[in-house]
Amino acid sequence: MLSAIAARKAVQAARQNSITLEKETAAAQAPIEMTLKVKPSSKRKSSTQDLNSSKRKKQEKRTPAKSPRSFAEEDSFRTQEDVIVIDSDEESLPEDMSTQNLTTSRSRWSPSIPLHDSSDEEPAISFEIPPTTVAPNNEAGTSDILSTFHPTPDQNIFFLQPAEVSSLHLEGDVHHHATVIALRPEETLCLLGTYTFSVLQGSITLSGVTLPSSPRNYRVFASRSAPLPVLEGVDSSGAIPDVHKLPSVMHSVISTPVTLVLLQELRSGVEGLGGVCRTFDGVFEPSRWQKSSIAPLKLSGVHMVLSQTKDIQVFELPVSWRRALSLKSPGNNTSIHLVKGPKKSGKSTFSRTLVNTLLSQYQKVAYLECDLGQSEFTPGGMVALNVLSTPLFGPPFTHPTLPHSAHYIGSTTPRSSPSLYLAAVQAILDTYRSDIQTPAISWRTSNADTRISDFIPLVINTMGWNKGLGADLTLKLQTMIEPTDIYEIETPFDPAWPAPTPRDAYIGPSSHPAKIHLLKPVPASTLSTSYSAADYRSLSIMSYFHAVFPSSIPPADELPQTTALAWHTSLPLCALPPFEVDCARSFDKVLLTGAGTEDVVPSEIGRVLNGALIALVSYTPGTIDLDLGSDTSALRIPYTQGLEVPSPASSRCLGLALIRSVSPLEPQTQMHVLTPLPPKILSEGRILVKGELELPIWGMLDHREGGEMAGVENGKVPFLQWGKGEGVGGERRRIRRNLMRRAQM
């Protein structure tokens, strides 16, 4: 024991000598002013410490000092100069403390940093340091420039009358007022709103795609709920044949190296979806952060955004994406592109950009949607194949499209029915290879269009579920599809887990290795804090039911693209005139799919279908057992408990419908049905399938002014309640599915 005390004294003496040298050195230098504060980590701990300190003071006054033993000496640990004594009443530190201890100051809070446990006994130490200069963030007042184009009438911006626009012989209905802008090379213009444009001279880039001059008319939906596209001039080579018919005031500009772009209003009614789904109210209008950065273009609903603010995000093409788009495999006889990656990494955005890039080489591109939760052209819950002929410049809810072939899964994830999911993808691949990949008739829109028309490439967008069962399903899809190009968005590396194993090149059954393109994920979007995945799904469903699809299809087009051109949002779904359908005569079978649906007895099928989202399915006669028994003959609804959905190889989903009401009177066969599908294809849907998808709450409300819904006040509408639920079972069920082993991550 004495040897230990002697050693401690020696260490203390050596440390005091070093402190004396540091004092002499610090005295020769300029003093550094700083204030040191000792703060408790929480209020609760502070009150406890103060109480204990006061008790100790009283005990020290009442208890007489005891004489130390012969071998006891003063605790040298408490007399050290570089130690903070927590139990001390003094809250000051030695003046000769080294400045390198400033690194222990409390940093700014971050959600990625774990919070300190409140049971910690050590108080947090913070230093008051003079403020330093920090680079400003991209917020209002300190934003980046988005539009370098400065409009000057009769110099770089011109306004045309309807007769002057008609003389240019552009495609589509463009016989109204227009604005022509002249962009110099690398000059940018960011617009917010809905508009159409045509490139009259030169070429531009938009959303990572270069568009040359042509009479084609492009539709753009620039919403604050998605990254805004930016027009950028490239060069002035090339022009449409009738460019010389522009007004004489523009002839001097035509001869200069500028790109001429014609802008027009787009009156589609898509802005009304913000009134239906209030989460997206006003997304096509500038917010209060952009009120001071708007320049008039004399186009209703089109706003020029000069600088970036904190409530918008601009589309930027990463370097790895640009490199991958330029290095894709040449499509000779096969061109299949598979896109995969984790959630919120930019798969849908890259797939949309890839489609636009391929449309510059091919007249048509096929798109296979395998993401049940975030579909691009249809509401969620179905695997769909679309054939596209026009580029996509807008978020998914702005281009709902009737699929060429689709199969209804009935859920936003294939977790409950993985075999049905794989069978649906296989059936669509067979349809693509037999009917679409090499069409029998080669169509060419015009002799001036030199794009490939005798071959149609395929783009596949996979789901973001890349762990456990989801990873196995994606691997099976990859083996089934045999892609020529795989675009894999890398998963952000987490240092807490081991590094992923190196990936080997994929070898398909044809022994031709696919070219793998590794892509960087897009940075975290500022829009994710305002809009969730559930919000986008709700908006997609509401956009689908309010959409107006074209009733006529060009007869010369073998594979048409049936995309909605307008939206009717003046009336809510509860006020739209429905189809009155006799279920016993219109449908051969009513089926339920999803977890727990096998327990629904025939006597309750009327209540299940009332207010349900259903899929209209066509099937090959003779491939399904109708099995009309005595139970169904009593109700007249052709439902059989526990019957599985028809095989995807012999059926096809036409679209979705809403059963707004079921007749409460016997035999309960009369239904009111809402669907945006054209009437001529409704007769093909002979099977009604209900899955796990439900109508969003926005679809049950009356968004018209007046505070009523179907003649009932909003506060008295039955079965609808805002806010926290009441009663047993009113709270939302919380299910944890993230308990996995490290090997499964």
Side-chain angles (χ1 to χ4, degrees):
M1 186 68 182
L2 293 177
S3 60
I5 296 177
R8 194 170 185 179
K9 283 185 176 181
V11 173
Q12 180 183 0
R15 189 169 297 176
Q16 289 179 354
N17 294 335
S18 61
I19 293 176
T20 305
L21 294 176
E22 290 180 0
K23 287 184 178 181
E24 296 176 356
T25 305
Q29 299 178 354
I32 301 177
E33 296 182 1
M34 61 181 179
T35 305
L36 180 65
K37 293 183 179 181
V38 180
K39 297 181 180 180
S41 58
S42 64
K43 295 182 179 179
R44 180 177 179 180
K45 186 186 301 182
S46 176
S47 60
T48 306
Q49 291 177 356
D50 294 343
L51 181 61
N52 295 337
S53 177
S54 60
K55 289 182 178 180
R56 283 193 296 270
K57 289 182 179 180
K58 295 180 180 179
Q59 291 177 0
E60 291 175 359
K61 292 180 180 180
R62 296 175 182 176
T63 305
K66 297 182 180 180
S67 59
R69 295 184 180 180
S70 58
F71 59 87
E73 296 182 7
E74 184 180 0
D75 189 0
S76 59
F77 181 79
R78 300 178 60 90
T79 60
Q80 294 181 13
E81 296 293 334
D82 55 349
V83 174
I84 303 174
V85 182
I86 298 177
D87 295 337
S88 175
D89 296 334
E90 299 178 358
E91 295 186 358
S92 60
L93 290 180
E95 298 179 357
D96 56 341
M97 188 176 206
S98 176
T99 57
Q100 62 183 1
N101 292 334
L102 291 175
T103 57
T104 60
S105 61
R106 181 179 299 176
S107 59
R108 183 176 298 180
W109 179 86
S110 173
S112 61
I113 301 177
L115 296 176
H116 294 287
D117 190 358
S118 59
S119 62
D120 295 340
E121 296 297 335
E122 297 183 0
I125 304 174
S126 64
F127 296 85
E128 293 184 359
I129 305 176
T132 57
T133 304
V134 181
N137 297 327
N138 288 335
E139 298 182 356
T142 61
S143 55
D144 298 332
I145 301 300
L146 300 181
S147 298
T148 59
F149 173 78
H150 300 285
T152 304
D154 296 336
Q155 292 186 12
N156 59 2
I157 184 170
F158 307 89
F159 307 101
L160 304 184
Q161 298 297 324
E164 297 172 337
V165 177
S166 301
S167 63
L168 299 176
H169 299 94
L170 302 176
E171 295 180 358
D173 184 15
V174 294
H175 304 291
H176 47 269
H177 294 81
T179 300
V180 178
I181 60 174
L183 292 175
R184 296 190 303 271
E186 299 183 357
E187 196 171 27
T188 59
L189 174 62
C190 182
L191 299 177
L192 174 66
T194 60
Y195 59 94
T196 64
F197 76 93
S198 300
V199 183
L200 307 181
Q201 176 178 296
S203 59
I204 64 169
T205 59
L206 182 67
S207 298
V209 183
T210 302
L211 303 173
S213 58
S214 68
R216 300 184 64 184
N217 196 26
Y218 303 98
R219 295 158 57 97
V220 180
F221 299 88
S223 166
R224 287 191 290 109
S225 62
L228 295 179
V230 179
L231 295 164
E232 182 178 357
V234 178
D235 55 33
S236 59
S237 60
I240 62 173
D242 298 323
V243 68
H244 63 278
K245 295 183 180 180
L246 290 171
S248 57
V249 69
M250 298 183 59
H251 289 174
S252 59
V253 180
I254 296 175
S255 59
T256 58
V258 296
T259 301
L260 298 180
V261 182
L262 183 139
L263 302 173
Q264 289 183 305
E265 301 175 1
L266 179 57
R267 303 170 183 174
S268 62
V270 69
E271 300 87 354
L273 293 175
V276 176
C277 192
R278 295 302 179 88
T279 310
F280 297 86
D281 189 14
V283 293
F284 290 100
E285 297 291 334
S287 64
R288 61 189 182 93
W289 303 102
Q290 298 142 3
K291 291 296 185 181
S292 59
S293 60
I294 299 175
L297 296 174
K298 293 187 177 181
L299 297 175
S300 177
V302 184
H303 311 274
M304 180 176 173
V305 182
L306 300 179
S307 57
Q308 184 172 350
T309 55
K310 63 181 182 180
D311 61 339
I312 64 172
Q313 184 178 1
V314 180
F315 177 84
E316 295 181 359
L317 191 65
V319 177
S320 60
W321 292 20
R322 187 181 296 107
R323 185 187 306 110
L325 293 173
S326 62
L327 296 178
K328 59 183 180 296
S329 301
N332 298 326
N333 297 324
T334 305
S335 180
I336 301 178
H337 307 265
L338 177 70
V339 182
K340 65 178 184 177
K343 297 179 180 179
K344 298 181 180 180
S345 59
K347 296 189 309 299
S348 300
T349 303
F350 179 81
S351 301
R352 197 181 309 125
T353 307
L354 180 59
V355 168
N356 295 341
T357 304
L358 292 174
L359 282 175
S360 62
Q361 305 174 17
Y362 301 89
Q363 292 193 10
K364 290 183 180 294
V365 175
Y367 188 95
L368 174 55
E369 183 61 78
C370 298
D371 190 353
L372 303 180
Q374 299 293 332
S375 299
E376 184 71 27
F377 300 97
T378 61
M382 66 175 67
V383 178
L385 177 67
N386 293 271
V387 181
L388 311 173
S389 58
T390 58
L392 308 172
F393 299 119
F397 74 91
T398 60
H399 44 255
T401 305
L402 299 182
H404 177 81
S405 179
H407 299 286
Y408 189 64
I409 308 300
S411 175
T412 58
T413 173
R415 179 182 289 108
S416 59
S417 54
S419 58
L420 178 61
Y421 175 74
L422 293 176
V425 175
Q426 182 62 58
I428 289 183
L429 287 175
D430 296 340
T431 301
Y432 165 75
R433 293 179 178 129
S434 61
D435 301 338
I436 298 177
Q437 187 174 14
T438 54
I441 301 177
S442 177
W443 63 90
R444 188 173 294 276
T445 56
S446 63
N447 295 328
D449 194 348
T450 59
R451 295 178 298 168
I452 301 174
S453 60
D454 57 352
F455 179 79
I456 299 178
L458 177 64
V459 176
I460 302 103
N461 180 33
T462 60
M463 57 184 175
W465 183 21
N466 60 349
K467 298 178 182 178
L469 177 60
D472 295 339
L473 292 176
T474 303
L475 183 59
K476 291 182 179 180
L477 290 181
Q478 183 173 314
T479 307
M480 184 189 308
I481 293 170
E482 304 177 19
T484 58
D485 293 81
I486 299 177
Y487 303 89
E488 183 175 358
I489 301 179
E490 296 178 340
T491 304
F493 176 70
D494 188 358
W497 299 97
T501 57
R503 290 175 292 267
D504 297 329
Y506 165 72
I507 304 296
S510 59
S511 299
H512 293 292
K515 181 181 292 186
I516 299 180
H517 309 269
L518 298 181
L519 309 177
K520 296 293 183 181
V522 294
S525 173
T526 57
L527 305 175
S528 59
T529 59
S530 303
Y531 311 102
S532 63
D535 294 333
Y536 287 116
R537 280 195 293 268
S538 300
L539 181 62
S540 178
I541 293 176
M542 300 311 299
S543 174
Y544 179 81
F545 279 101
H546 286 277
V548 179
F549 293 97
S551 57
S552 61
I553 299 175
D557 197 346
E558 181 184 1
L559 300 171
Q561 177 183 350
T562 310
T563 302
L565 302 178
W567 286 262
H568 181 66
T569 57
S570 59
L571 295 177
L573 296 182
C574 61
L576 290 176
F579 292 99
E580 187 173 351
V581 180
D582 188 350
C583 183
R585 298 181 180 180
S586 301
F587 302 111
D588 296 336
K589 186 62 75 174
V590 175
L591 304 175
L592 303 181
T593 181
T597 55
E598 64 276 1
D599 298 330
V600 177
V601 296
S603 58
E604 297 294 332
I605 189 62
R607 294 185 176 91
V608 173
L609 296 180
N610 194 9
L613 277 182
I614 54 97
L616 301 176
V617 179
S618 64
Y619 72 101
T620 304
T623 58
I624 183 174
D625 185 11
L626 299 181
D627 190 21
L628 297 177
S630 58
D631 294 337
T632 57
S633 60
L635 283 173
R636 300 288 301 276
I637 294 180
Y639 167 71
T640 302
Q641 182 178 357
L643 191 64
E644 296 182 354
V645 296
S647 172
S650 59
S651 62
R652 182 170 67 95
C653 178
L654 303 177
L656 299 185
L658 171 65
I659 300 180
R660 202 171 65 183
S661 62
V662 178
S663 175
L665 304 177
E666 295 294 339
Q668 290 186 333
T669 60
Q670 298 296 324
M671 299 179 178
H672 286 179
V673 180
L674 292 176
T675 179
L677 298 177
K680 63 180 182 180
I681 67 174
L682 290 179
S683 59
E684 302 178 15
R686 302 294 300 176
I687 298 180
L688 186 153
V689 180
K690 184 195 178 303
E692 300 177 6
L693 294 181
E694 298 292 344
L695 183 69
I697 188 65
W698 302 108
M700 307 178 186
L701 303 179
D702 191 346
H703 58 268
R704 296 174 296 181
E705 297 182 359
E708 295 182 352
M709 190 180 79
V712 182
E713 296 182 5
N714 289 337
K716 299 181 180 179
V717 176
F719 309 112
L720 290 180
Q721 180 181 5
W722 292 102
K724 191 174 181 180
E726 297 179 359
V728 179
E731 296 292 339
R732 180 181 178 182
R733 249 180 104 188
R734 302 185 65 88
I735 303 175
R736 295 192 63 182
R737 296 191 179 97
N738 60 341
L739 301 178
M740 296 185 296
R741 298 182 178 91
R742 288 193 176 185
Q744 297 176 327
M745 299 298 291

